[in-house]
Amino acid sequence: QEAVQREGRGPGAPGSAMALRLEVTYCGAPGCCVGVVGSDPALGAWDTSKVVRLSPDQDDPSKWLADLPLPSPESEFKLVTAQADGQVQWEELPENSNRRFPARCVSAGCTLRMQFGEPRMAIEASAEEIEANARATRRMEDRQGSALQANVDRKGDNAYYFAHNRHFEVPADAKVISGPGLITGGAPVLIEAGAVMGSEQDRTVWLKDYSWSDSSGKVKVYVPVPEGLLPADGAQDVVQCEYTSTQVELTINCKPRQRLKIEKLNGELVVDKCTTRVEAHKNRIVLQLAKKRETTWYNLTKK
């Protein structure tokens, strides 16, 4: 483990009041050491010879812990494993991306949990932060500019939010109890970050409306699309159509992606002679299906 030169403070170690707790689940090969390296100088500035090593939990060997100095907001980092011979292996994340410390909620005393190789991260705010948030937003001056306070200012005793019109502050010696299921007020606290979310481009809308006509040697399928979906120039480039002997699948690469799939066609096709015509000015796409046998189609698909 020569490549892992530094150790993070163990949980609860002296001097860790301004530290961030890092908790990593790793179920890999025995003999490996889990570490972290990042853009922040405290995490080695991407120098793998300065990886900060985590310590295995005594009660759960799959859990690795360390108390790290608070990183720079939005700074990037990544987990690694170090073999006994000193070789360092980076964790594999989607698109070879790096992790980021969430700027809003990474503060002294909070815990950042994650699984090696999984981008999702869970954040547990410290008890001190939860209590501070609960106290702070009880002050009337902290509400100025909000929709709630504007309603109270405008309508007074007749305000829908009249119950919030009291000037109330939590006494300094009051005990704020927090925990799962308890509402303490305060600013929203991020509880998860790094999850891979489906983007607008990743979504697919399945087209269901189309009409068709039968003629000698071919069948035409007319697919209407929403107005403006097809660009005036280059519309042919965003449309793809795949033909097989018994089905056709149309894809329009826009946001969100549009698709149409017609299976179990009434007869076999001559795939090489099938064509696709994009008519952007008419907001439609015409699929021309070349029949393998000259027969009349009374239905587009088989039941």
Side-chain angles (χ1 to χ4, degrees):
Q1 301 175 353
E2 296 176 357
V4 183
Q5 300 292 327
R6 301 177 296 163
E7 292 189 20
R9 296 189 184 97
S16 61
M18 293 300 294
L20 162 72
R21 172 71 57 81
L22 190 65
E23 183 177 305
V24 178
T25 300
Y26 174 70
C27 303
C32 290
C33 175
V34 177
V36 59
V37 64
S39 59
D40 193 286
L43 298 181
W46 295 120
D47 186 346
T48 55
S49 68
K50 298 178 181 179
V51 173
V52 178
R53 182 172 61 187
L54 280 66
S55 302
D57 189 343
Q58 295 181 351
D59 299 327
D60 185 356
S62 67
K63 186 179 297 182
W64 294 75
L65 311 169
D67 286 340
L68 308 175
L70 285 179
S72 302
E74 294 291 341
S75 61
E76 296 185 339
F77 71 101
K78 213 164 189 177
L79 302 175
V80 299
T81 58
Q83 307 293 333
D85 59 4
Q87 293 185 353
V88 172
Q89 180 70 39
W90 297 89
E91 67 173 335
E92 295 184 4
L93 296 177
E95 300 181 357
N96 198 29
S97 59
N98 297 326
R99 299 180 185 268
R100 285 182 182 271
F101 287 106
R104 166 63 184 87
C105 61
V106 173
S107 58
C110 80
T111 300
L112 192 60
R113 295 187 176 92
M114 66 201 70
Q115 183 171 337
F116 193 93
E118 293 290 335
R120 183 177 291 108
M121 298 184 293
I123 299 101
E124 180 181 323
S126 65
E128 291 78 8
E129 182 180 10
I130 294 176
E131 182 171 343
N133 283 341
R135 292 180 185 278
T137 52
R138 294 288 187 179
R139 298 194 302 254
M140 295 292 288
E141 56 268 24
D142 289 334
R143 299 181 189 164
Q144 298 304 318
S146 68
L148 181 151
Q149 190 59 42
N151 182 272
V152 171
D153 293 341
R154 187 171 64 255
K155 297 186 178 181
D157 293 353
N158 295 321
Y160 180 79
Y161 300 106
F162 177 67
H164 298 272
N165 198 24
R166 297 171 298 163
H167 185 82
F168 176 77
E169 293 185 9
V170 180
D173 58 349
K175 175 66 174 178
V176 177
I177 301 176
S178 62
L182 298 179
I183 301 175
T184 58
V189 176
L190 181 66
I191 60 173
E192 187 172 272
V196 178
M197 304 296 292
S199 66
E200 183 74 6
Q201 190 170 4
D202 293 332
R203 292 199 304 113
T204 297
V205 174
W206 288 93
L207 301 173
K208 298 180 180 179
D209 295 331
Y210 60 85
S211 58
W212 65 283
S213 64
D214 179 64
S215 60
S216 177
K218 60 188 176 183
V219 171
K220 289 185 179 181
V221 179
Y222 303 90
V223 184
V225 298
E227 185 174 358
L229 182 69
L230 297 173
D233 297 324
Q236 193 75 34
D237 298 332
V238 301
V239 175
Q240 296 178 340
C241 197
E242 296 183 4
Y243 299 92
T244 68
S245 61
T246 58
Q247 74 175 38
V248 57
E249 185 169 354
L250 171 69
T251 302
I252 308 173
N253 294 306
C254 57
K255 296 181 180 180
R257 182 184 295 111
Q258 315 271 323
R259 294 182 66 186
L260 170 69
K261 189 173 185 180
I262 305 176
E263 301 177 287
K264 298 181 180 179
L265 292 171
N266 199 29
E268 291 186 83
L269 304 180
V270 180
V271 175
D272 295 339
K273 293 184 178 181
C274 295
T275 60
T276 306
R277 186 170 71 248
V278 180
E279 300 177 342
H281 63 290
K282 293 184 178 181
N283 296 307
R284 74 178 185 182
I285 299 171
V286 182
L287 312 178
Q288 186 165 288
L289 314 181
K291 298 178 183 178
K292 187 174 182 179
R293 298 177 180 84
E294 183 52 62
T295 57
T296 301
W297 288 23
Y298 296 101
N299 295 290
L300 182 61
T301 61
K302 295 178 180 178
K303 296 181 180 180

